[in-house]
Amino acid sequence: MDFNVKKLAADAGTFLSRAVQFTEEKLGQAEKTELDAHLENLLSKAECTKLWTERILKQTEVLLQPNPNARIEEFVYEKLDRKAPSRMNNPELLGQYMIDAGNEFGPGTAYGNALIKCGETQKRIGTADRELIQTSAINFLTPLRNFIEGDYKTIAKERKLLQNKRLDLDAAKTRLKKAKVAEARAASEQEVRITQSEFDRQAEITRLLLEGISSTHAHHLRCLNDFVEAQMTYYAQCYQYMLDLQKQLGSFPSTFLSNNNQSSSTPVPSVSAPSVLASASASLPSVSNSVVTSGFSELKSSSGNRKARVLYDYDAANSSELSLLADEVITVYSIPGMDSDWLMGERGNQKGKVPITYLELLN
């Protein structure tokens, strides 16, 4: 019991001594032992590494999981050492909605079929997204987090201990200066030698730990390369998925109706999206509007007729139109005064207006 009381008293005395020394240093009333330039540089490098590692870690988490609520949920489950419930990510959810809508509108219709194809592609992108998150978490986020929560905490602990040893040393030096009696000076000199030795020892321990920051940078560089490779794989997969989708859709036009006062029976031709990569644009199966429409323009300006292949099913809106089936071949021609988006189509004894965006002229 007496031992514990004495220890507590000694600890309180040490704490008070450090507080007085620290306060006097701030007020300019006491001298301060400066760390050597190399150690100061190492401390600055460690602090800088910790600061930017935290920022990169946080922003990478935002990049991989933009939903803050989902990030909080994952954090809670991680702390509880439990697996978070599996949920659809955004691309998968969008893909499922597209597939459900396509089935509702009818897989045999042009729009329904295209929605299903797009939905399947979105779900594949969602799977790739999951793989990117998982790979990045293991190879990039975890090493960064281990540094913040492990190595740097050890450095911070030893740095704080070094600060305390320095305060003890400078407090001892201050007492030595104030000592007047020979016996008190001898005791103070002994205290300075002891605190100097402890300070030097702690400075060496801290220095060795800080010099490990260079190894940390080398390790994080390897992790960064792994992250870049994971991203490269992800974007290459997404690009290939979209390229395959574009090939499946071919020159499929957007038949969404505008919100203005257009007639509901007039299809709206689509505008091709720009290429994902400029360098790869030549390989993409995109066709400009001028090329697509040039054949129809020639047909409209002449009195002849042409054979055309039907690209997608089309249900006639009224008796003046002709219903179409995908892949059938019909005869088309123009008549004076006809709307620019339509031609007359014939199939045996049946004829009626057909939208040119559902047709491909044959040579």
Side-chain angles (χ1 to χ4, degrees), residues 128 131-132 227-239:
E131 293 172 356
L132 171 64
F227 179 55
V228 170
E229 185 175 345
Q231 282 189 304
M232 181 188 67
T233 300
Y234 169 72
Y235 288 118
Q237 285 177 323
C238 292
Y239 173 71

Side-chain angles (χ1 to χ4, degrees), residues 211-255:
E211 287 177 346
I213 291 293
S214 296
S215 298
T216 298
H217 284 192
H219 178 52
H220 287 182
L221 175 59
R222 292 192 295 272
C223 296
L224 181 62
N225 286 332
D226 290 340
F227 179 55
V228 170
E229 185 175 345
Q231 282 189 304
M232 181 188 67
T233 300
Y234 169 72
Y235 288 118
Q237 285 177 323
C238 292
Y239 173 71
Q240 188 59 52
Y241 292 153
M242 298 310 296
L243 194 63
D244 292 342
L245 175 62
Q246 190 181 38
K247 288 178 180 178
Q248 289 180 48
L249 297 180
S251 58
F252 176 69
S254 172
T255 56

Side-chain angles (χ1 to χ4, degrees), residues 102-137:
N103 288 325
E104 184 74 19
F105 297 147
T109 64
Y111 183 39
N113 185 273
L115 277 172
I116 292 173
K117 292 183 187 302
C118 289
E120 291 170 347
T121 298
Q122 289 295 332
K123 295 190 82 168
R124 283 195 289 271
I125 290 175
T127 300
D129 192 60
R130 287 182 184 277
E131 293 172 356
L132 171 64
I133 293 174
Q134 183 179 12
T135 303
S136 300

Side-chain angles (χ1 to χ4, degrees), residues 52-116:
W52 286 109
T53 300
E54 283 181 330
R55 290 180 178 178
I56 292 170
L57 174 64
K58 182 178 180 180
Q59 195 57 40
T60 305
E61 289 175 336
V62 172
L63 173 69
L64 297 175
Q65 177 51 271
N67 187 338
N69 293 329
R71 291 200 304 274
I72 292 173
E73 181 184 57
E74 290 171 0
F75 175 79
V76 171
Y77 275 98
E78 181 181 348
K79 291 302 179 182
L80 295 175
D81 198 22
R82 293 174 58 188
K83 185 177 180 181
S86 179
R87 291 189 177 91
M88 284 188 174
N89 55 30
N90 289 333
E92 289 173 331
L93 194 57
L94 174 60
Q96 190 59 54
Y97 286 164
M98 286 182 167
I99 291 173
D100 292 344
N103 288 325
E104 184 74 19
F105 297 147
T109 64
Y111 183 39
N113 185 273
L115 277 172
I116 292 173

Side-chain angles (χ1 to χ4, degrees), residues 319-322 333 338 343-346 350-354:
S319 59
S320 67
E321 298 177 8
L322 180 66
Y333 56 91
M338 176 165 280
L343 288 171
M344 288 299 294
E346 286 190 0
Q350 297 177 313
K351 66 179 181 177
K353 293 193 302 180
V354 292

